[in-house]
Amino acid sequence: MASIDLNLLTALDVLLAERSVTNAARRLGLSPSATSRTLARLRSVTGDALLVQAGRSLVATPYAEQLADRVHALAQEARTVLAPAPGHIDPALLERLFTIRANEGFVALFAPALVAAITKGAPRVRLCFAPKPDKEATPLRDGTIDLEIGTAGASAPEMRSQLIFRDRFVGAARLHHPLLEGPITPQLYAACGHVVTSRRGVSKGPVDQALHDLDLRREIVVIVPSFLDALNIARHSDLIALVPHSCMSDRVMMAKGLQSFDLPVPTPELAISAMWHPRFDADPAHRWLRQKVMDTCRRVS
């Protein structure tokens, strides 16, 4: 590409439109002598005179006439490609498939409201909710995933993130569970059987560390891959589930025959964030999606 000067394309477009070196120079912001030298370069690279003298004016050669429309279109396209990206979009005209990676709990709680909000304002947008078996960053890097929802990890430091809402862990038990009959102490809580959620099959977590500090240990009876699985098991047994508070709306609890309770030991707060690859930072469609996710999730949570 070293031999190709795109400035010549713009100059040729203006020269063919003006048919005057002086007028073309004014539009190009050059001196007439510089514009004459540019015309000489154009004649050299094309092998055609392009514009020739006819009295006091210039006329285009047949080859230049053939080029005029193509040159104008190319010059316009080049200017469009090299111009700043558009800063806004019309959601009603947006046609795009967005893939969001999130766990089952998020999809169950937030997807209905998010789908309603997006389809109302952008009827041509399509959503795909992808499973979240791990926090592997490759799908975000290669564009397979547009947006990930969850707790931010340290494995992909280049990823952008924005806090959506803060959450905390709570306990969940079936209605009329013996544990719910009085004050829930660390000792009573630890004495129960427990169902925990882990995609990797890990049973220990912050609750276990807090109990360990009190010389207590809980019995993990079941490990499941999703919070919804944990709630379903707790509903049909005496096991205690550990889930984010956002999973336990009053409507969900009543429908599932469950009751939530505050844990008798302290656990770290959960920061639920949206994460994306930096190449989407300035993309107006992606920015629109992110804002819709933020607004909807904060309202629902």
Side-chain angles (χ1 to χ4, degrees):
M1 296 293 289
S3 62
I4 297 177
D5 184 354
L6 287 179
N7 289 314
L8 292 178
L9 183 66
T10 299
L12 180 58
D13 181 37
V14 174
L15 282 163
L16 293 179
E18 295 292 339
R19 309 293 170 97
S20 164
V21 170
T22 301
N23 292 344
R26 189 178 299 114
R27 282 183 55 183
L28 292 168
L30 300 173
S31 66
S33 59
T35 305
S36 291
R37 291 194 296 271
T38 299
L39 178 55
R41 287 184 61 198
L42 284 165
R43 287 167 172 162
S44 176
V45 297
T46 62
D48 188 85
L50 299 175
L51 295 170
V52 296
Q53 202 73 37
R56 290 190 165 187
S57 61
L58 296 176
V59 294
T61 66
Y63 181 63
E65 293 284 7
Q66 293 176 21
L67 287 180
D69 290 342
R70 289 178 57 199
V71 167
H72 182 68
L74 285 170
Q76 288 287 92
E77 183 68 15
R79 281 190 286 269
T80 300
V81 168
L82 298 177
H88 65 278
I89 58 165
D90 182 354
L93 302 178
L94 180 61
E95 294 189 38
R96 188 154 161 182
L97 169 67
F98 290 109
T99 301
I100 300 174
R101 184 167 72 174
N103 63 38
E104 296 91 335
F106 177 90
V107 175
L109 183 62
F110 295 102
L114 183 58
V115 169
I118 287 181
T119 55
K120 179 180 179 180
R124 301 179 185 180
V125 166
R126 300 293 177 261
L127 294 178
C128 173
F129 289 97
K132 188 175 180 179
D134 51 46
K135 293 186 177 183
E136 172 60 45
T138 299
L140 285 169
R141 286 173 172 150
D142 65 19
T144 307
I145 301 297
D146 293 290
L147 198 66
E148 177 165 351
I149 309 297
T151 54
S155 61
E158 80 273 22
M159 294 301 166
R160 302 289 191 262
S161 67
Q162 184 173 355
L163 178 68
I164 305 177
F165 64 92
R166 297 189 182 277
D167 209 346
R168 60 189 174 89
F169 279 116
V170 296
R174 63 171 176 82
L175 294 177
H176 311 301
H177 192 288
L179 180 66
L180 305 176
E181 294 176 356
I184 300 175
T185 65
Q187 290 76 16
L188 290 174
Y189 176 77
C192 295
H194 294 261
V195 51
V196 299
T197 301
S198 173
R199 292 186 299 267
R200 301 189 304 268
V202 177
S203 61
K204 303 297 183 182
V207 169
D208 300 282
Q209 181 59 52
L211 290 173
H212 176 76
D213 293 342
L214 299 174
D215 293 325
L216 297 172
R217 178 179 175 275
R218 63 176 178 161
E219 181 182 2
I220 307 298
V221 178
V222 182
I223 301 173
V224 292
S226 79
F227 294 120
L228 296 182
D229 294 330
L231 290 173
N232 192 44
I233 290 175
R235 177 189 177 188
H236 294 95
S237 71
D238 282 339
L239 298 181
I240 304 300
L242 181 70
V243 297
H245 182 262
S246 59
C247 290
M248 295 298 296
S249 68
D250 292 338
R251 180 168 51 85
V252 170
M253 288 189 292
M254 292 301 296
K256 292 185 174 295
L258 295 164
Q259 181 174 333
S260 66
F261 59 88
D262 290 333
L263 297 175
V265 292
T267 56
E269 191 177 57
L270 301 172
I272 307 302
S273 300
M275 292 157 279
W276 65 94
H277 193 274
R279 71 171 173 274
F280 290 125
D281 264 352
D283 178 30
H286 200 277
R287 286 205 309 267
W288 172 84
L289 171 70
R290 298 195 303 262
Q291 193 60 52
K292 279 295 181 184
V293 170
M294 306 296 169
D295 293 344
T296 303
C297 292
R298 287 169 179 170
R299 174 170 53 82
V300 172
S301 64

